Amino acid sequence: MKNSPAFQFYTNDWLGSTNIMLMTPAQEGAYIRLLAIAWNSEDCGLPSDQDKLARLGRIDRVAIGLVLENFFLKEGRYYNTRLLEEREKQDKWRKQRAEDGKKGAIARWGSQKQEIKGSYGNPNG
């Protein structure tokens, strides 16, 4: 299943976060940029190379430390707990919607595909 192009952004959580308040504007920008980059990756993670992360976040190597406090390192990749929860929530919702759609189609049309006879449903008929 293709990843969603967007994630929920909870402004009250962001603006009320002490971690965010302690960041400089540049660090805050790097943080949201790294979250977006992680979201677009297959595993919702980032490389562990801090020089590369600083470049990706468009911030200097020294300032990236406070930003990375919001991530955890696992098997050579950085992950953000909240972002992983959002990915899981969206995946679950999308799967549920697909399942509901299949159930609705079966309820409406039956389990067998039915051939349309006559001109009904044929734009040229």
Side-chain angles (χ1 to χ4, degrees):
M1 182 182 302
K2 185 163 172 39
N3 292 332
S4 174
F7 59 87
Q8 292 286 325
F9 185 82
Y10 299 92
T11 55
N12 287 340
D13 291 350
W14 184 270
L15 295 174
S17 168
T18 303
N19 287 348
I20 302 296
M21 287 185 215
L22 293 173
M23 291 180 185
T24 66
Q27 288 170 320
E28 187 174 356
Y31 183 30
I32 190 66
R33 184 172 176 79
L34 290 176
L35 288 174
I37 291 167
W39 183 260
N40 281 337
S41 74
E42 188 66 32
D43 67 346
C44 210
L46 297 166
S48 62
D49 181 326
Q50 291 191 15
D51 289 325
K52 188 181 282 187
L53 290 173
R55 286 193 308 273
L56 287 171
R58 297 181 178 164
I59 195 168
D60 65 65
R61 174 73 162 75
V62 174
I64 199 70
L66 186 60
V67 175
L68 292 179
E69 288 179 10
N70 295 284
F71 294 84
F72 65 93
L73 190 60
K74 179 181 176 186
E75 298 174 7
R77 303 271 292 164
Y78 276 105
Y79 297 94
N80 178 274
T81 303
R82 178 70 178 267
L83 197 63
L84 289 173
E85 289 170 0
E86 289 300 315
R87 169 75 58 92
E88 185 178 318
K89 187 168 53 172
Q90 279 197 17
D91 287 347
K92 184 179 177 182
W93 184 86
R94 290 169 73 189
K95 287 175 186 171
Q96 185 61 52
R97 297 280 51 104
E99 197 59 37
D100 290 347
K102 289 175 188 173
K103 288 177 186 176
I106 290 170
R108 182 173 183 174
W109 303 107
S111 61
Q112 300 292 328
K113 289 185 179 178
Q114 298 177 3
E115 187 177 319
I116 298 174
K117 299 190 186 219
S119 63
Y120 303 107
N122 182 346
N124 298 321

